[in-house]
Amino acid sequence: MNIDEIKKIIKDGENSYIEFKEENIRAKELAEEIVAFSNSEGGIILIGVDDEGNIKGVSDDKIEETVMNICRSSCIPHIVPFCEIVEIEGKKIAVISVPKGQNKPYYTVDHKYYIRVGTTKRIASKEELLRLFEASGSLHFDISPVEGTSMKDLNLDIIRDYFMKYNTFDLFEESSESVERILVNADILKEVDGRKLCTVGGLLIFGKNPEKHLPQNGVSFAHFNGNEISDELIDKKIIIGRIQDVAEQLMVVLKNNMLVPSVIDGLKRKEKEEYPMLVIREAVVNSLVHRNYSISGSKIRVLMYNDRIEFRSPGRLPNTVTIEKMKIGVSYARNPFLVKYMENMRYIDQLGRGIPMILKKMKEAGAKEPLLMEQGEEFVLIIYKA
């Protein structure tokens, strides 16, 4: 990083990715800042600059060694930032570049998990900590128990049909104790302190009214007459229910909102699709199966414009997954329960094939390449009209 870049950072002040610290910062506090950045999106700590952006400098010639020792001894797992010393206005500044962590969650030696929020660090809440563990792959939210639920919240007829079709036995021929044991072994129920609670996935696939206990479930659909969210609203719907039913209903809504132009092929009139329906179905099911259900209060958003459809799913990509990896078929099952059951019910084919197929089909249709990106706390897939 050159001097002009650092001067600009200092001039712009602290933000979600920039923190100023004076040389007398305590080792414990510096460890907390580094952990917070690693648990978030990474960032830069300038040591030798006060909160107002005044350059104070550092006098310790071994500041880099000191920082690295703190990262090894006070951050778990160990964090390895990039440290460089830059001289500005005759004073030395330590520039500590902390990468986004690949082994989240990180914590300090006193077992506290910090995250970066705006210009400050704070101890992660229970929900935020849950998302950190989920992103690491050490916890899967879709098999977590949902408080206040019981087997009464499940549609046993649908569960029976599932087991009849895929496991070739009749659930209704079993005793009530045997049924409970089967549902626990299938991760549809989870035993907690002697109680049998529905799991998140159990409710989403087999629940009577999943949104009663999981208000984040479902899709918010909007169709605009234009290419901006401020344009005229043509249609708006909230689609709720079991995720397989949401997928089917959303497909109907999308198809009903599409124009169906036609071309003359010889003596016949042939309909021409705006979007390949195979691509749309894959995008719909992917958004439902792979979203982060631990983020409460936020539904999947599907926004339809004149030139594109946007699928906006709550939750950033898990630790090891990148956009480039997704494009070549590398994937990660955030919700392995949902993947397993939706795959058995033939809603999805094989983990990792969805995005490459979407890219291939849209290229064949002559459309602009679909855009994949993380935006805020959402993963966004944009499919452009063919």
Side-chain angles (χ1 to χ4, degrees), residues 233-340:
L233 182 64
I234 298 175
D235 192 12
K236 182 179 181 181
K237 286 181 172 61
I238 300 293
I239 305 170
I240 55 176
R242 290 180 290 273
I243 63 171
Q244 61 269 41
D245 298 331
V246 172
E248 299 294 351
Q249 292 174 43
L250 182 55
M251 284 296 295
V252 171
V253 169
L254 283 165
K255 196 166 185 178
N256 289 343
N257 275 272
M258 289 181 191
L259 295 174
V260 188
S262 61
V263 294
I264 301 299
D265 184 6
L267 298 176
K268 296 180 180 180
R269 183 177 296 277
K270 184 179 179 182
E271 289 186 354
K272 184 180 179 182
E273 292 181 327
E274 286 188 310
Y275 302 91
M277 294 313 294
L278 182 62
V279 166
I280 296 299
R281 184 174 184 82
E282 189 68 34
V284 166
V285 175
N286 267 3
S287 65
L288 289 164
V289 170
H290 297 301
R291 72 151 284 179
N292 188 338
Y293 283 96
S294 69
I295 300 177
S296 59
S298 299
K299 297 185 187 301
I300 294 165
R301 295 189 296 152
V302 177
L303 309 177
M304 190 173 187
Y305 298 93
N306 287 352
D307 66 339
R308 69 192 186 278
I309 302 176
E310 297 183 2
F311 296 85
R312 294 181 165 268
S313 302
R316 302 179 68 84
L317 294 174
N319 272 1
T320 58
V321 179
T322 64
I323 300 295
E324 293 309 311
K325 285 182 178 180
M326 292 178 71
K327 288 182 177 181
I328 61 171
V330 177
S331 190
Y332 167 86
R334 185 200 298 275
N335 301 310
F337 176 97
L338 298 182
V339 168
K340 179 180 72 174

Side-chain angles (χ1 to χ4, degrees), residues 344-362:
N344 286 346
M345 292 185 286
R346 303 293 187 266
Y347 280 89
I348 56 177
D349 181 6
Q350 184 178 330
L351 189 64
R353 286 182 53 176
I355 295 301
M357 183 278 286
I358 288 174
L359 297 176
K360 180 174 180 288
K361 291 295 182 183
M362 294 311 294

Side-chain angles (χ1 to χ4, degrees), residues 151-190:
M151 199 159 69
K152 292 180 180 179
D153 293 294
L154 299 173
N155 189 320
L156 291 181
D157 289 327
I158 292 178
I159 297 175
R160 181 198 187 195
D161 290 343
Y162 175 86
F163 281 109
M164 285 281 284
K165 188 171 184 179
Y166 303 105
N167 298 80
T168 65
F169 71 87
D170 191 345
L171 198 68
F172 287 3
E173 292 179 356
E174 305 290 330
S175 66
S176 58
E177 293 79 9
S178 179
V179 169
E180 283 192 348
R181 185 174 66 254
I182 290 169
L183 297 187
V184 168
N185 289 336
D187 289 327
I188 297 169
L189 291 177
K190 178 159 282 192

